[in-house]
Amino acid sequence: MKKERASVLRWFKNTPGAILSNVGILTTGFDEPTVETVILYRATTSVSLYLQMVGRGSRTTDTKKRI
């Protein structure tokens, strides 16, 4: 399972326009600055968790200037 997950995340990072859907896996500890869009379908009452999840799409990089 760990190798499969690593393979999928490599694919996501290296595939332009890739769309990745997950359920409870990439909630915390996932860091991929090239993420441009985050769509949430998960209830939470935790403001810090919400900000962490949507923050994945709001980081700027050398190639991503707009948020």
Side-chain angles (χ1 to χ4, degrees), residues 24-39:
I25 295 172
L26 304 177
T27 304
T28 57
F30 175 67
D31 184 28
E32 179 49 59
T34 61
V35 169
E36 293 182 13
T37 304
V38 175
I39 300 171

Side-chain angles (χ1 to χ4, degrees), residues 47-66:
V47 173
S48 60
L49 177 59
Y50 173 79
L51 292 174
Q52 184 178 33
M53 290 187 296
V54 298
R56 286 165 175 54
S58 62
R59 296 184 199 128
T60 58
T61 66
D62 291 339
T63 59
K64 184 176 82 171
K65 307 287 186 199
R66 292 181 5 181

Side-chain angles (χ1 to χ4, degrees), residues 13-24:
K13 181 176 183 166
N14 296 315
T15 304
I19 297 173
L20 181 64
S21 175
N22 81 92
V23 177

